[in-house]
Structure formats: structure tokens, C-alpha cells
Amino acid sequence: MTARIVSIGTAVPPTRIRQEDVRDLFAGQDGADRLTRRRTQAVFDASAIAQRHTVIDELAALQNGDTAGPRTFLGADGTLLSPTTGTRNDVYTRAAPELTAAAARSALAGGGVEASAITHVVTVSCTGFFAPGPDYRLVRDLGLSPTVERAHLGFIGCAAALPALRVATALATSRPGAVVLVVCTELCTLHVRASADPQQIVAASVFADGAAAAIVTADPAIGRGGGLELDRFGSVLTDEGETDMVWTIGDNGFEMILSAEVPRIIGREIRGAVGRFLGDDAVPEVWAVHPGGRSVLDRVEGGLELAPHALAASRAVLRDFGNMSSATILFILAALLRDDGIVDGARVAGLAFGPGLTVESALMTRRRPSVAADDDVLLALAASV
């Protein structure tokens, strides 16, 4: 049996922030010297991001000139505040379940799958913690069976969606009738902060909030036909990078180390990592690459000698949504599922990068839905006439 992604649903918070507004906010902080302001402007302008979404409503309120109400992340004068990790996590606990459920409902509706058909839930997040967690809340919020088996992949970082799909594939192919709901929810903007540190400036320029869900099953009778067949997965640790991408918990939020070496390491390592994964297989026709940032995509494109349009879907998601950590690769796959230009049988390569430095890979096959039986009859009648 071959497992497939039947459908993918996505959800973002209603607050949309323009990149130039966030740039000016960070560059205009009191105490920012001339070098910090110039660096902030340059990093934000080079990000290839037009807009992002956030659960921090105060950012939108400031854009609209509304300075009333309680302030947690942003002072009435535009000063970025520094709430504790507990305060940030409280917002995560309130906001993450709703976004998680919205993405899941979208996936169920898009795939024509009833909530009662779900047998397993796999949730993913690295931007907050609570228990009973997102997996438990999904069962309650969607009215799933209380016997649904649950698993949570936490604190793996941007690469976590592909390991989650790997777990779902193992469940779907080993359990007859299994229907697995995978949901990645990340509220990255809860942890941004004002800083003169170049690494923190980069993090502030790219990270965003969003959730994405996928329905995975090996049962051909479940949901609508077509989708993405999940052929195989790979994982490799690069020879360097253990200290260049790091995600830790501090007193005033989670702290990201994202050095300038990350794109260069990926550029040096990607050809070998992908070569080992593909083996003797031909180069896939379609690529879904996690956009850790514009420079990461540039390095992957150059390292693999891809055509300029090969990463168009990845660049479009980066432009419109930013880097939503683990959820981002599912946004890209959702865009590819909507692309009528991708033919049946086209092979899709997925790549995502996480702390370590870790490269996660997936090889998939695009399957177009077959024409329904009733449509076949109508077509035959039309041809006979």
C-alpha cells in the first residue's frame, strides 16, 4: 500500500503586517544606533517578503494608529516590550488551538473526509507548550472519536513537517483503514524582540505565524481521489552547523541563533545530501523547498543547479506568508496541489532544514483525480452523439 496526502488545509491569523511597516518599527526603536538601523533596513529589504501574519494584534493596531487598550508586546509609543516567556506562552495557549482547528477543518473539507474517519492525530509545534496539548484539543475541538491515537512532535524546528508526514505514512501503511490528521502550528512572532544582534534582526525579518494540516491515508476509498503519494523519506545531519541554527528557551521568549553561515552550509552540503537521497533516480520535475529565507532558496537553487522557476512555489509562499517554521512546507505543497500545470505522475521533491543542521527529504508523486464514473458516462454519450 502507498500512503498519500489526500488534501492540505491552511490557516493564518487575521492580523496581516506589511514588511516595510515591521522594518520601520524595528529600525526606529530607541537606542538603536546608526549601524543597527542600517542593518535592519538592509536585512528586511533583502528578505523577499511582502507581508506576514501574526497573532500579536497590537502590531496591526499600531499600523492603524490605535494606541488604546492594554499593551503586552508593543508600547503605545511604538516601543517593543519584552514580556516573559510565561506571558508569551499564555498567548500561545490561547491562540494555537483555534488556528490548529481551522487548518484541520480546511483539510477535512478540501479532501471530502468526515471528522469521524480520523483514526490518528500527529501534531507539530516548536513555538509553545501546554498540556493537555494541541493533539488533545484537536480531538475535542473537531469532535473526533475519543479513541483516536495521538502523537506530538515538539521543538524539532522548521524541518518537522516532513518527519510528521513520515510518522503518518508509517501509521497509514501499517494500520488498515488508518486516516491520519497531521497539523503543524507555529506562532513564531511571539518570540521576536528588538536587538542589535544581527542574528536576531534576521529572525525578526522572516518569521511569521500560521498552521497547516494534511490528511494522510493508504485507503483509496477515503476522501477525494488524487493528491500526493508519499514514496519515501530521508534524513541527514550535515558535517557542520550544530551551533549555527539553535533554538533554546530563555527568560524572555525562545531564543533563535541563526548565523550567516546557515545558507552557506546548505549551499555546500545540499548537493551531497540530495544525491544520497535520490540515488540513481532521475532529478524530480517539481521542488518544494522550505524557505528558511531568500538566501537559503538561492543556495539550494545554485547548489542543485535548478532552473530559475523551479522554486517559484517556495518563493511565492515566502513572499506572501514569510517563514512559518514547520507549517511552511505544507503551504508550499498545498500550492502545488492547486497547480493544474503539474501533470499526473510528476515527481515532487520536498526539502526542509532544521537545527543541527538537519536536512529532511521526501519524494512524492503527484496524482490527478480520475474522472468520476458519471462523467465517463456523459463523455461517452457526448462522443456517440
Side-chain angles (χ1 to χ4, degrees):
M1 295 188 298
T2 301
R4 65 185 172 102
I5 297 176
V6 177
S7 61
I8 297 175
T10 61
V12 292
T15 298
R16 179 177 63 87
I17 50 177
R18 297 182 296 268
Q19 185 75 337
E20 61 267 26
D21 293 331
V22 187
R23 175 201 64 199
D24 295 344
L25 173 65
F26 277 82
Q29 292 300 299
D30 288 341
D33 57 27
R34 184 178 179 183
L35 175 60
T36 298
R37 291 195 299 271
R38 290 178 60 186
R39 178 177 285 136
T40 299
Q41 291 170 347
V43 168
F44 274 74
D45 289 346
S47 67
I49 296 172
Q51 62 181 28
R52 293 177 275 166
H53 292 79
T54 177
V55 294
I56 303 176
D57 298 335
E58 296 166 31
L59 292 177
L62 185 70
Q63 289 178 172
N64 299 329
D66 180 8
T67 58
R71 320 299 298 182
T72 302
F73 292 87
L74 195 65
D77 60 352
T79 300
L80 283 162
L81 306 177
S82 186
T84 65
T85 301
T87 297
R88 297 174 194 259
N89 197 67
D90 286 344
V91 178
Y92 177 91
T93 303
R94 293 194 302 270
E98 181 179 351
L99 203 61
T100 301
R105 291 189 181 101
S106 175
L108 291 168
V113 178
E114 296 293 332
S116 58
I118 298 299
T119 61
H120 297 77
V121 164
V122 178
T123 52
V124 174
S125 189
C126 69
T127 48
F129 298 95
F130 64 92
D135 52 326
Y136 175 92
R137 282 296 304 269
L138 261 181
V139 173
R140 295 302 192 206
D141 293 345
L142 269 62
L144 305 182
S145 168
T147 61
V148 163
E149 297 181 22
R150 299 173 285 121
H152 181 70
L153 277 64
F155 225 65
I156 297 178
C158 293
L162 295 186
L165 290 175
R166 185 169 62 227
V167 170
T169 299
L171 290 169
T173 54
S174 62
R175 309 282 187 91
V179 182
V180 188
L181 172 61
V182 177
V183 190
C184 301
T185 302
E186 305 289 11
L187 308 185
C188 307
T189 65
L190 291 178
H191 303 289
V192 298
R193 70 203 66 205
S195 176
D197 183 349
Q199 299 182 64
Q200 294 301 320
I201 293 172
V202 170
S205 74
V206 299
F207 284 113
D209 301 346
I215 308 295
V216 177
T217 185
D219 187 342
I222 296 295
R224 297 192 171 93
L228 288 168
E229 291 181 351
L230 296 162
D231 301 322
R232 70 174 191 268
F233 296 87
S235 182
V236 64
L237 300 181
T238 60
D239 292 334
E240 52 184 324
E242 184 175 351
T243 60
D244 292 286
M245 187 190 294
V246 180
W247 192 225
T248 58
I249 299 176
D251 293 335
N252 295 96
F254 297 176
E255 299 174 0
M256 168 61 78
I257 295 175
L258 195 64
S259 82
E261 284 299 307
V262 169
R264 290 193 279 268
I265 294 170
I266 291 174
R268 290 194 297 268
E269 299 271 358
I270 193 64
R271 192 175 187 87
V274 171
R276 287 190 295 271
F277 174 64
L278 292 178
D280 296 331
D281 288 356
V283 177
E285 297 88 347
V286 183
W287 292 84
V289 178
H290 171 71
R294 192 216 67 199
S295 57
V296 169
L297 294 178
D298 291 345
R299 295 283 181 164
V300 171
E301 183 179 293
L304 296 178
E305 299 180 351
L306 300 177
H309 65 276
L311 302 184
S314 297
R315 295 186 188 278
V317 168
L318 178 66
R319 179 192 66 225
D320 295 337
F321 297 99
N323 180 349
M324 300 166 286
S325 191
S326 67
T328 317
I329 191 75
L330 292 181
F331 273 70
I332 298 166
L333 293 176
L336 296 177
L337 281 174
R338 295 190 299 268
D339 187 347
D340 291 333
I342 300 177
V343 300
D344 183 71
R347 292 170 311 140
V348 180
L351 295 174
F353 315 102
L357 191 65
T358 305
V359 180
E360 296 287 350
S361 309
L363 189 61
M364 297 160 279
T365 302
R366 178 68 167 105
R367 291 301 178 196
R368 310 291 301 181
S370 58
V371 179
D374 290 345
D375 291 342
D376 288 341
V377 173
L378 292 173
L379 286 172
L381 289 173
S384 66
V385 171

